Amino acid sequence: MSLIHWSPAGDRVDSADQSERERSEEEKKAERLTRAERQALLVPDPEPGAQPPVQTGADRVVLRLQDVKKSYGSTKVLRGVSFDVHEHEVVALLGPSGSGKSTLMRCANLLEQVSDGQIWLNGQDITDPRANADEVRAQIGVVFQQFNLFPHMTVLKNLTLAAIKVHHWDKKKAQDRAMDLLARIKMDQKADSYPRRLSGGQQQRVAIARALMTSPKLLLLDEITSALDPMLVGEVLDMVTELKKQGTTILMATHEMSFAHDAADRVVLLRNGVIAQDGTPRQVMDESQDPATKEFFSHFRGF
């Protein structure tokens, strides 16, 4: 039942209409507060079922994959992959060839578009079509199987090119940063050399240094030793170990099982496009009771 009364201004007011207006104003206020809070936290509106990454403390999530799927035509490569990479954590992505490791890495760097699911980087849904791919990639350093150094440029210019041309650093700042990185990997004496004058291991170390130039939030390493002579693998893995000590956040796909066991904080084992195991190296590689997991690691010396 509606009650009629008169406002102090002499206007006729229906109490039901007034209550409705007050309720609508409260809803709008709540909606505005929610949006403001989300904007302040830099957390996008979540999709149904999606969980935004933790943003503070020791458990800060740098990368989150939420039910990521990827298909090429009728071929399903990733069938719903979900896991987190925390700040300062090294996560080793293991699995047989064809399990989806490289595809997952390419999706994480937006080189491939996911078919379904979400990927979050530092609280931003980077699979949102509105995400700026260049800005996202500026936060990620990537090293692939091949070195991909520019053969007509010196080591120093390979390192400084993107910093100057893309990130608009001044030349001195870029060169100082490059020389600091080269000194850390004991290759500052090769700054003026061309890639063809370097061994495969040296070229891959330069590629890693180039990926670190702009201090990315996340480093993706995709089978970085697979194209190397076995004699040269050690020097590259030593560099990754040093990066771990420095607190670099790393997601690496690798077939170097002993290295993954010793260097990784966590192991994610892919099988047929899904996560078969996710845990510490000891839990997954030493103690798993899953027959298929035990069979996989039995093919590698020491497991």
Side-chain angles (χ1 to χ4, degrees), residues 231-275:
M231 298 284 291
L232 303 174
V233 169
E235 64 185 77
V236 174
L237 297 183
D238 287 345
M239 184 177 180
V240 178
T241 301
E242 184 62 29
L243 293 175
K244 172 183 168 64
K245 292 177 181 178
Q246 295 168 8
T248 307
T249 305
I250 300 173
L251 174 62
M252 62 177 183
T254 183
H255 285 298
E256 299 292 336
M257 297 301 164
S258 294
F259 178 72
H261 186 278
D262 296 339
D265 299 301
R266 276 184 36 243
V267 166
V268 175
L269 177 64
L270 287 182
R271 185 184 303 135
N272 298 322
V274 299
I275 294 179

Side-chain angles (χ1 to χ4, degrees), residues 126-301:
I126 63 174
T127 48
D128 187 324
R130 296 168 294 183
N132 185 310
D134 291 334
E135 291 180 0
V136 170
R137 293 190 189 110
Q139 302 177 62
I140 304 174
V142 185
V143 184
F144 294 108
Q145 298 174 20
Q146 300 300 324
F147 322 125
N148 294 325
L149 299 179
F150 294 109
H152 62 291
M153 293 184 179
T154 65
V155 166
L156 182 61
K157 287 187 176 179
N158 264 282
L159 263 66
T160 60
L161 179 66
I164 294 172
K165 298 295 186 181
V166 178
H167 299 281
H168 308 295
W169 288 18
D170 65 66
K171 186 176 181 179
K172 184 179 186 306
K173 176 183 176 181
Q175 289 184 340
D176 287 348
R177 169 66 172 164
M179 291 305 297
D180 177 62
L181 286 170
L182 290 173
R184 282 164 53 188
I185 62 174
K186 298 179 174 58
M187 289 196 60
D188 46 322
Q189 299 300 316
K190 300 288 188 179
D192 294 324
S193 298
Y194 288 87
R196 65 179 179 275
R197 299 294 184 185
L198 306 179
S199 69
Q202 289 174 326
Q203 290 187 57
Q204 194 62 295
R205 286 157 60 196
V206 170
I208 295 173
R210 180 176 61 182
L212 294 170
M213 268 293 292
T214 55
S215 302
K217 302 297 184 183
L218 173 68
L219 186 61
L220 301 178
L221 306 178
D222 186 13
E223 301 285 6
I224 59 172
T225 60
S226 63
L228 296 178
D229 185 291
M231 298 284 291
L232 303 174
V233 169
E235 64 185 77
V236 174
L237 297 183
D238 287 345
M239 184 177 180
V240 178
T241 301
E242 184 62 29
L243 293 175
K244 172 183 168 64
K245 292 177 181 178
Q246 295 168 8
T248 307
T249 305
I250 300 173
L251 174 62
M252 62 177 183
T254 183
H255 285 298
E256 299 292 336
M257 297 301 164
S258 294
F259 178 72
H261 186 278
D262 296 339
D265 299 301
R266 276 184 36 243
V267 166
V268 175
L269 177 64
L270 287 182
R271 185 184 303 135
N272 298 322
V274 299
I275 294 179
Q277 303 264 273
D278 182 354
T280 66
R282 181 174 179 177
Q283 290 170 333
V284 175
M285 305 174 80
D286 298 334
E287 300 175 350
S288 175
Q289 297 304 306
D290 176 62
T293 298
K294 294 172 72 174
E295 168 68 15
F296 173 71
F297 288 117
S298 71
H299 294 286
F300 300 93
R301 183 177 299 175

